[in-house]
């Protein structure tokens, strides 16, 4: 069974850092694009960094460029999202997602062209 599981969320003070993990099971994550997203209730899901399959160039949303970094540990079949300089506007539920086909790329998320796999989400709260 193909599955993604996020972890690492929690409460952090403004200016702090968190590292989120997205562990894959049932498939080799390196062969597929993996994207991070976040969502606040009542708002659309926001695209965050995405790492293409097999070592392609990563993609970053302007809202987090310079603060968030995506990386992949192929031995652990896990992708990470390092988040620095967090502010209250970063409070959201964070999700990772991938595809069931290696042909899909970072720009294909949320278009309905390919079957997607989503984790259950991990909440991040940035507050004093």
């Amino acid at each position: 069974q193909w599955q993604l599981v996020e972890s690492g969320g929690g409460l952090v003070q403004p200016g702090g850092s968190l590292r989120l993990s997205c562990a894959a099971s049932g498939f080799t994550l390196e062969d597929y694009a993996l994207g991070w997203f976040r969502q606040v209730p009542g708002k659309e899901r926001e695209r965050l960094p995405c790492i293409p399959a097999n070592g392609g160039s990563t993609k970053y949303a302007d809202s987090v460029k310079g603060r968030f970094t995506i990386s992949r540990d192929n031995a652990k079949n896990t992708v990470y999202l390092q988040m620095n300089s967090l502010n209250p506007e970063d409070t959201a539920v964070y999700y990772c997602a991938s595809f069931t086909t290696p042909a899909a790329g970072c720009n294909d998320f949320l278009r309905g062209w390919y079957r997607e796999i989503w984790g259950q989400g991990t909440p991040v709260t940035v507050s004093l």
Side-chain angles (χ1 to χ4, degrees), residues 48-68:
L48 299 178
C50 176
I51 189 166
N54 297 316
S57 298
T58 57
K59 316 281 184 188
Y60 289 90
D62 288 342
S63 60
V64 302
K65 199 173 291 185
R67 298 191 298 125
F68 289 12

Side-chain angles (χ1 to χ4, degrees), residues 96-107:
C96 63
S98 187
F99 297 98
T100 60
T101 173
C106 289
N107 292 330

Side-chain angles (χ1 to χ4, degrees), residues 69-80:
T69 303
I70 191 170
S71 62
R72 194 199 305 267
D73 185 333
N74 294 331
K76 295 183 178 180
N77 212 27
T78 298
V79 171
Y80 301 99

Side-chain angles (χ1 to χ4, degrees), residues 32-60:
Y32 301 84
L34 189 290
W36 284 96
F37 299 78
R38 65 185 179 187
Q39 190 165 25
V40 175
K43 294 188 176 181
E44 289 188 357
R45 194 159 292 191
E46 180 184 6
R47 296 169 181 262
L48 299 178
C50 176
I51 189 166
N54 297 316
S57 298
T58 57
K59 316 281 184 188
Y60 289 90

Side-chain angles (χ1 to χ4, degrees), residues 6 53 55 86 107 117:
E6 303 97 335
L86 288 164
N107 292 330
I117 305 168

